[in-house]
């Protein structure tokens, strides 16, 4: 049981790491330009590659986690709406919800105020995307399952 818990945790962490590559690509955008040569063009392609690599690998990991959770008899007890629609479900989720809301507000505000450079808006959207992903993960069914699974495993010791 502990081995399954560790592999589920590793896949969960790989999912978080992979999905975190997508917002990271937003941080490279101010320096990237497809129209220029050299490092700026390389950054443009790298930025797009990071976004899609993170999104695809993260989605594969999420699918694997869902299959593991659903196949486990214990995982059928985890009910509710997907993490994107759930707020303040646990301590970690509360922190991510607050940060997500704050950075999303800042990103929208920075876009509305034309005096703020577009680069700052891009970085704030990237940060909001990162915390949005973390919000979904820490309020989601897989994290809830992981916490319940670890709690059950610790009681058996």
């Amino acid at each position: 049981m502990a081995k399954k818990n560790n592999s589920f945790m590793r896949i969960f962490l790989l999912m978080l790491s992979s999905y975190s590559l997508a917002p990271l690509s937003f941080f490279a955008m101010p320096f990237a330009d497809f129209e220029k040569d050299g490092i700026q063009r390389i950054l443009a392609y790298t930025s797009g590659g990071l976004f899609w690599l993170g999104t695809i690998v993260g989605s594969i990991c999420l699918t694997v986690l869902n299959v593991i959770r659903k196949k486990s008899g214990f995982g059928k007890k985890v009910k509710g709406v997907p993490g994107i629609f759930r707020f303040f479900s646990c301590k970690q989720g509360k922190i991510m919800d607050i940060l997500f809301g704050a950075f999303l507000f800042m990103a929208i505000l920075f876009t509305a105020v034309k005096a703020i450079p577009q680069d700052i808006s891009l970085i704030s959207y990237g940060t909001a995307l990162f915390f949005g992903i973390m919000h979904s993960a820490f309020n989601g069914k897989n994290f809830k399952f992981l916490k319940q699974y670890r709690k059950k495993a610790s009681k058996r010791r």
Side-chain angles (χ1 to χ4, degrees):
M1 185 178 244
K3 189 173 183 177
K4 281 185 180 179
N5 184 20
N6 286 337
S7 63
F8 193 87
M9 177 66 134
R10 274 190 239 124
I11 296 169
F12 185 81
L13 291 174
L14 179 61
M15 179 200 67
L16 289 179
S17 301
S18 299
Y19 274 139
S20 295
L21 290 176
L24 188 63
S25 68
F26 278 74
F27 298 125
M29 283 182 190
F31 310 106
D33 190 351
F34 284 108
E35 303 297 319
K36 296 189 178 174
D37 289 334
I39 194 79
Q40 289 179 317
R41 181 175 273 183
I42 292 170
L43 273 173
Y45 284 110
T46 304
S47 177
L50 277 175
F51 179 85
W52 286 110
L53 176 71
T55 302
I56 291 168
V57 173
S59 297
I60 291 169
C61 290
L62 181 62
T63 303
V64 169
L65 289 172
N66 286 335
V67 168
I68 292 171
R69 178 179 47 85
K70 288 176 181 176
K71 280 188 177 180
S72 122
F74 188 68
K76 293 177 182 167
K77 296 178 184 176
V78 178
K79 298 195 186 299
V81 297
I84 191 79
F85 300 117
R86 185 181 305 175
F87 292 88
F88 303 106
S89 65
C90 65
K91 180 179 161 185
Q92 297 89 341
K94 288 176 187 175
I95 293 167
M96 296 305 152
D97 293 342
I98 291 167
L99 290 170
F100 173 52
F103 279 100
L104 184 61
F105 175 78
M106 284 174 33
I108 293 169
L109 180 68
F110 290 165
T111 303
V113 176
K114 300 295 181 194
I116 295 174
Q118 183 182 10
D119 297 347
I120 302 217
S121 293
L122 281 173
I123 291 171
S124 61
Y125 273 111
T127 308
L129 178 61
F130 172 77
F131 285 116
I133 291 166
M134 295 300 127
H135 147 77
S136 297
F138 288 116
N139 287 304
K141 293 177 185 180
N142 288 322
F143 187 67
K144 186 176 181 181
F145 169 75
L146 182 63
K147 283 182 15 179
Q148 289 177 354
Y149 198 83
R150 291 176 86 187
K151 190 176 185 179
K152 183 178 178 182
S154 68
K155 284 183 180 180
R156 289 186 174 184
R157 290 182 196 165

